[in-house]
Amino acid sequence: MPRPYVVLRRDAWASLADTTQIDVDEATLDRLRGLGDPTSHADVAEVYRPLTQLLHLYMANTGRLYQDSNEFLQLDERRTPFVIGVAGSVAVGKSTTSRLLQELLRRAPGQPKVDLVTTDGFLYPNAELQRRGLLERKGFPESYNRRALLQFVSDVKSGVPTVRTPVYDHVTYDIVAESAIEVSRPDILIVEGLNVLQPARVDTEGHPGLAVSDFFDFSVFVDADEADIKRWFTERFMALRTTAFRDERSFFKVFADLSDDEALATASQVWEEINGPNLRENIAPTRDRATAVLRKGPDHSVRTIAIRKI
């Protein structure tokens, strides 16, 4: 049966790149990588540079359509931001992908203004999650203030000059009260999160609402086998014991002094009870809603790239 994607192996995908010199130096790449993420200059050249070029094609065509529509409707409206969604599991590398795309797009001709927002800021505060009995389901769709996230993306896409988004602190594992990030008229907005490709909810009368992805012009899903993602999550958990978990403010400080065996057992339990079910039930089913799927192998490198044809 025909599928809506064309799937390319990495070498075939890399060959599509032209002679553009958009690149990042070693210091920048090191800053962009997530903990334990081995993304290399070869990955930049062979995977992310062609993806950046494809994004430019989408942006150029979207811009032409916007201009033609304005002329047809006899409007003189400022073009609104091009919005890119990046989805995938915990520990799969979607944050590195998002930061790399932001950096490469910033260096493109015209040097567009590119903002990056993660949906972590739209998680309910821990106190509210506790009140709702959802603290153990943090990261599941119901743990987010979906209405606020929808309003944020809608406002940005509608051209509101300045939109504010809450701040999330990964050390304290909570929303930072009375703090906000301002997004002011970017040319491109990248929205990164576990569940950004979730379909619209249906209300009690059977009417579908809006989904965050309704406002995306392009979306990327970072994919891998669950066994590999669990291993990467476990490796990151073990590394955090000697870094972020030792911060006195850390929500996870209780894990810092676990023995290796205890830490491995804890990481496995967290995966089996929280991250694994969330991946299988909520995240993986949204993969086929993406414009592009980057499929990784066991070594964290992207092996195939699937691009939606329709």
Side-chain angles (χ1 to χ4, degrees):
M1 178 181 296
R3 297 192 65 225
Y5 287 92
V6 55
V7 181
L8 300 174
R9 294 185 61 83
R10 178 173 172 137
D11 55 350
W13 172 253
S15 71
L16 299 178
D18 63 19
T19 57
T20 178
Q21 296 303 307
I22 299 173
D23 203 355
V24 292
D25 55 45
E26 186 60 38
T28 301
L29 184 56
D30 189 54
R31 171 174 58 82
L32 299 176
R33 291 187 190 102
L35 180 64
D37 190 315
T39 298
S40 66
H41 276 289
D43 295 312
V44 173
E46 298 171 8
V47 177
Y48 295 102
R49 188 184 291 163
L51 182 57
T52 301
Q53 292 176 226
L54 181 63
L55 280 164
H56 272 286
L57 286 176
Y58 271 77
M59 286 185 285
N61 282 287
T62 300
R64 281 193 289 270
L65 177 59
Y66 196 89
Q67 182 177 348
D68 290 346
S69 296
N70 270 350
E71 290 176 1
F72 178 78
L73 297 170
Q74 299 181 18
L75 298 174
D76 185 22
E77 298 286 340
R78 177 189 175 110
R79 181 179 174 181
T80 56
F82 186 90
V83 181
I84 302 168
V86 180
S89 172
V90 167
V92 79
K94 65 184 179 302
S95 295
T96 298
T97 293
S98 300
R99 291 190 291 263
L100 259 176
L101 287 177
Q102 180 186 29
E103 193 68 30
L104 291 170
L105 288 167
R106 279 175 171 170
R107 298 177 182 219
Q111 297 183 320
K113 183 173 187 261
V114 188
D115 285 348
L116 168 61
V117 168
T118 71
T119 59
D120 292 341
F122 293 93
L123 285 160
Y124 286 113
N126 286 351
E128 179 63 17
L129 290 173
Q130 186 75 52
R131 188 186 71 79
R132 297 180 180 219
L134 294 174
L135 193 57
E136 297 302 317
R137 290 182 65 81
K138 198 167 188 176
F140 282 70
E142 62 269 28
S143 66
Y144 293 87
N145 186 338
R146 184 173 173 274
R147 180 174 297 178
L149 177 57
L150 271 170
Q151 189 64 57
F152 166 77
V153 180
S154 175
D155 285 347
V156 171
K157 194 62 177 171
S158 299
V160 174
T162 300
V163 187
R164 293 164 64 86
T165 173
V167 176
Y168 186 80
D169 187 334
H170 286 271
V171 175
T172 62
Y173 195 58
D174 206 353
I175 300 296
V176 181
E178 300 181 4
S179 293
I181 297 170
E182 289 191 347
V183 175
S184 300
R185 293 191 186 278
D187 298 302
I188 303 167
L189 174 68
I190 300 172
V191 181
E192 178 236 314
L194 299 171
N195 297 295
V196 295
L197 292 178
Q198 282 286 312
R201 293 180 178 177
V202 177
D203 65 22
T204 55
E205 297 181 354
H207 301 136
L210 285 172
V212 173
S213 59
D214 289 337
F215 299 96
F216 293 166
D217 298 288
F218 194 99
S219 54
V220 179
F221 190 97
V222 186
D223 194 27
D225 285 343
E226 182 177 342
D228 292 326
I229 305 174
K230 179 181 178 180
R231 175 167 50 81
W232 300 334
F233 169 77
T234 301
E235 291 169 352
R236 187 173 73 179
F237 186 92
M238 298 298 282
L240 286 170
R241 282 190 310 152
T242 60
T243 53
F245 288 0
R246 296 207 171 271
D247 190 312
E248 288 299 322
R249 301 176 301 125
S250 177
F251 180 88
F252 299 102
K253 193 175 186 307
V254 65
F255 299 138
D257 295 322
L258 294 177
S259 68
D260 286 351
D261 287 345
E262 290 170 333
L264 287 169
T266 299
S268 180
Q269 181 180 3
V270 170
W271 184 269
E272 296 303 329
E273 295 181 1
I274 301 174
N275 295 330
N278 195 20
L279 170 60
R280 293 187 293 273
E281 296 167 16
N282 301 304
I283 303 168
T286 70
R287 176 179 50 230
D288 289 345
R289 293 171 56 81
T291 316
V293 179
L294 307 183
R295 176 73 177 177
K296 291 186 171 185
D299 62 353
H300 235 301
S301 66
V302 175
R303 300 288 181 84
T304 61
I305 299 88
I307 303 296
R308 180 174 287 279
K309 295 183 289 187
I310 57 173

